[in-house]
Structures are given as structure tokens and as C-alpha cells.
Amino acid sequence: MLETTAPPIAAPDLTDLAMRQVDNVIRERLSSRVALIDQISRYIIGAGGKRIRPRLVLLFSEALGFDGPERLELAAVVEFIHTATLLHDDVVDESALRRGRPTANAMFGNAASVLVGDFLYSRAFQMMVSVNHMRVLDVLADATNVIAEGEVLQLMNMHDPDLSVADYLKVIRFKTAKLFEASARLGAVLAGASAEVEEACAGYGRALGTAFQIVDDLLDYEGDSLELGKNVGDDLREGKPTLPLLLAMERASTSERALMRRAIEQGEEKGLSDILAIVRRTGALDATREAARLETDHACGLLQALPDSRARRALLELSVRAVHRSS
Ligand code: GRG
């Protein structure tokens, strides 16, 4: 395992500077002749967000010695794709709160939200074409297709109390980890890395993204709505079986399991606080965080394929933060 401690003298944070440049690219490329598009896209992107996926593009580019402007454009591309999926997802889930604000669907309606998601998604394709690199198109076309498959798979799994952990993991590898994987891989592709190094970068992204979604699902049970910027307990209300619930069901008594099965099948508010107590008492939350930690351990091991650098240390720290985050 690689050390995660910071060097004694901090190197200048090139990524922060580059992230500001990415924010400028994002602002410029958001522009549209259509006022409502401008308004909604700035509403959602202006609400912030952690910008993890663009950071992956930048850190892997830096770690492999690539500093061309294409990395800024592609960092903005992955944030646009991410934002398009959020707009669509909040409509599908009928969510009311995102990034501490009313969702775009709550503010502007479902139709406008879906359509502006389409705008961001297609703008992302205009931008990636401008980079003029076939492998980049290949990586992103594949990633977006898999994300959509993951979302449909998840829809098929709703209200299924017999969902296996393996099936749950498949959905999150598709819907979330795939974009992390693509972001990491793009840094390697831009830098012209060997196939072996590219696979290590992609593997890091996949494992980090998996850990990230596991923690996302954990926070839906143990988080604080205010800190999280979205409503806690939504997954159970929707009848979406996620890892905390699946692990709690394995550990609960027969009658408790029956209660949880009913909640997944019917997706209702009733029984929420009882189920929360069961999830806590069975240790399912700790086991869920441990599952995320195992993923990031794997991710960190893969970084041995990269030479030691400030960027590699930042990637190690990113994986630690992904597991211990509270928002
Ligand atoms: C438009 C390609 C396309 C597909 C539509 C709806 C859908 C299909 C996919 C949704 C996938 C999805 C929302 C996965 C969840 C990903 C996730 C963990 C989101 C939260 O990411 P954060 O915490 O968000 O990085 P911030 O707000 O920090 O940017």
C-alpha cells in the first residue's frame, strides 16, 4: 500500500489553478442562444458540486506529464455529462433537493429539466469532437451508453427485495463508476500512456467510483439532509434496495426482514424510522463503509503503476476523502 501522508513542504497546487481554468471553460461553453437553457444550466452548474470527475482528468494528465489544453476541455466535458445525468436522474426519482437547493425539476418542471440535460449532453459531444481524438470519442461514447444501461438496470431492480449484492454492484459500476473510470482513463489517453498504465488508471477510477456510490448510498441512511444538500431516506421511500439495506437484511431477525422486504416492495414512508434503527443496530452501516474502503484500497494499489508525484499523492488523498466524506 502506498503512503497517503502529505509531503513536508507542499508543492504548488497546479490542479487548483487548472480547476479554475476548467470552471472558465464550463462557463464559456454553457452559453446558448436560448435564454431558458442559459438560465437552467447556470442554475444547476452554478450550485457548485464537488467537481471530482474533472479533477480525475486533470490529476491523471498531470501524473503522466500531459499539460495540453485538451485536458481542460475534457474535464469540462465529464462535468457536463455528469450534470446531464443529474438533471435526468432527479426527474426519474422525483427528487426535490440537490446541492442544497430545490432541484431544477422542482424549479422549472420536468420537461425543461430533461431537455436542458439533453442540451448539456449534446454540448459535451460537440466539445469532445473538437478535441479530434478518436480514442477520446470511443471512451466517452462507451461510458455514456453504459451509464444509461445502468440507470435502466436500476429501474428494473426497484422494489425487488431479493436483489443480490452482486446485482447491486453491477448497477453502481454502470451508473456511477463508469464515468469515474472514463475520466481517469482520459488522462492516460491524452498522455499517450501504455495500455497497461491506461488500464491501471481506469481501474483506479472504477474502484473509486464504486466506493463513491457505496458511500452515497450509505449517506442516504446516516447523513444529514442539510449537510448533504439532498433528502436523506429517499432510497427506501422509493423502494430502491442499496447496500446498507441489503446488508441489514442479511443480519436481521425474521420479523425485521419481513418489515424491510415490505418497505422495498411498497416503497413507503411507513416503517422508515424502525428500519433505520435496524440498519444501525445490525452494524450494516459500518459494514457498508468497510465495503467502500476495500474498493479504495484496491484503487490505491493500482496507483503503483504511476511514478511518484504530487498528482499521485493527491489521488491517494482523494480516495481517503471519498470514504470519509459527509456530503
Ligand atoms: C444523460 C448519459 C445520460 C444518461 C441518463 C439518469 C441517467 C441516465 C443516469 C443517472 C446516473 C446517476 C445520477 C448516478 C449517480 C451518480 C452520483 C453519485 C451522483 C452524485 O455525484 P456527486 O456527489 O455530485 O459527485 P456533485 O453534486 O458533487 O457534483
Side-chain angles (χ1 to χ4, degrees), residues 49-50 53 82 85 88-89 99 121 151 176 212-213:
K50 296 180 284 298
R53 298 152 189 85
H82 166 57
T85 69
H88 287 184
D89 195 53
R99 295 175 173 170
Y121 182 55
E151 196 69 3
T176 305
F212 192 83
Q213 183 64 56

Side-chain angles (χ1 to χ4, degrees), residues 48-53 79 81-82 84-86 88-89 92 98-99 117 121 144-145 147-148 151 175-176 180 212-213 216 230 325 327:
K50 296 180 284 298
R51 307 274 202 263
I52 295 173
R53 298 152 189 85
E79 188 65 12
I81 294 174
H82 166 57
T85 69
L86 296 185
H88 287 184
D89 195 53
V92 172
R98 159 85 62 193
R99 295 175 173 170
Y121 182 55
T144 50
N145 194 250
I147 294 168
E151 196 69 3
K175 74 165 188 175
T176 305
F180 280 71
F212 192 83
Q213 183 64 56
D216 213 68
K230 62 181 190 180
R325 71 197 176 95
S327 69

Side-chain angles (χ1 to χ4, degrees), residues 7-320:
I9 301 169
D13 194 343
L14 295 176
T15 325
D16 279 350
L17 179 66
M19 282 303 295
R20 280 199 289 279
Q21 293 175 296
V22 171
D23 272 341
N24 289 338
V25 174
I26 288 177
R27 253 194 307 279
E28 279 165 26
R29 305 285 188 270
L30 274 186
S31 75
S32 156
R33 289 158 289 205
V34 179
L36 186 63
I37 292 179
D38 254 11
Q39 192 187 359
I40 299 180
S41 59
R42 285 179 204 284
Y43 176 79
I44 173 94
I45 290 207
K50 296 180 284 298
R51 307 274 202 263
I52 295 173
R53 298 152 189 85
R55 201 170 277 277
L56 288 179
V57 178
L58 298 183
L59 286 172
F60 277 101
S61 301
E62 186 187 327
L64 292 164
F66 180 84
D67 63 359
E70 294 87 348
R71 77 196 200 291
L72 307 176
E73 198 75 10
L74 292 182
V77 162
V78 295
E79 188 65 12
F80 277 15
I81 294 174
H82 166 57
T83 311
T85 69
L86 296 185
L87 284 168
H88 287 184
D89 195 53
D90 285 340
V91 170
V92 172
D93 291 348
E94 300 176 31
S95 305
L97 203 62
R98 159 85 62 193
R99 295 175 173 170
R101 294 188 186 184
T103 50
N105 44 303
M107 285 292 284
F108 305 97
N110 285 347
S113 259
V114 169
L115 295 171
V116 172
D118 292 342
F119 169 84
L120 286 174
Y121 182 55
S122 51
R123 176 56 53 88
F125 270 85
Q126 290 176 319
M127 291 160 67
M128 68 183 90
V129 167
S130 77
V131 168
N132 197 19
H133 193 321
M134 196 59 197
R135 280 276 294 133
V136 164
L137 286 179
D138 182 27
V139 169
L140 286 165
D142 179 49
T144 50
N145 194 250
V146 169
I147 294 168
E149 282 184 324
E151 196 69 3
V152 178
L153 258 184
Q154 175 171 276
L155 186 67
M156 292 163 64
N157 295 343
M158 296 298 265
H159 303 293
D160 180 2
D162 295 311
L163 188 77
S164 68
V165 170
D167 284 337
Y168 160 81
L169 284 173
K170 182 174 179 183
V171 167
I172 70 175
R173 288 214 195 276
F174 281 28
K175 74 165 188 175
T176 305
K178 194 69 193 177
L179 192 55
F180 280 71
E181 176 188 326
S183 304
R185 188 188 289 280
L186 286 174
V189 167
L190 286 176
S194 68
E196 195 189 342
V197 169
E198 184 187 313
E199 283 315 315
C201 298
Y204 170 95
R206 188 161 55 244
L208 181 74
T210 304
F212 192 83
Q213 183 64 56
I214 291 174
V215 173
D216 213 68
D217 295 340
L218 171 68
L219 292 173
D220 198 73
Y221 282 88
E222 72 161 25
D224 173 82
S225 294
L226 214 62
E227 207 178 334
L228 206 55
K230 62 181 190 180
N231 288 321
V232 166
D234 273 352
D235 288 343
L236 190 59
R237 267 182 223 111
E238 286 173 42
K240 188 190 287 177
T242 59
L243 195 58
L245 202 57
L246 296 178
L247 295 180
M249 281 208 289
E250 283 175 5
R251 295 151 181 244
S253 69
T254 311
S255 61
E256 289 170 336
R257 197 160 30 248
L259 179 71
M260 289 190 273
R261 287 182 67 88
R262 214 169 31 248
I264 295 172
E265 279 163 357
Q266 294 170 4
E268 55 184 11
E269 185 83 38
K270 206 161 63 82
L272 188 73
S273 61
D274 287 342
I275 292 174
L276 215 62
I278 299 167
V279 172
R280 292 209 176 105
R281 185 184 50 73
T282 53
L285 296 178
D286 288 341
T288 300
R289 204 177 286 278
E290 179 59 13
R293 206 190 51 74
L294 287 176
E295 287 289 339
T296 55
D297 273 2
H298 176 61
C300 290
L302 290 169
L303 291 179
Q304 311 225 25
L306 304 179
D308 183 30
S309 65
R310 192 210 66 87
R312 189 177 78 164
R313 286 191 291 276
L315 286 162
L316 287 167
E317 281 160 27
L318 190 65
S319 70
V320 175

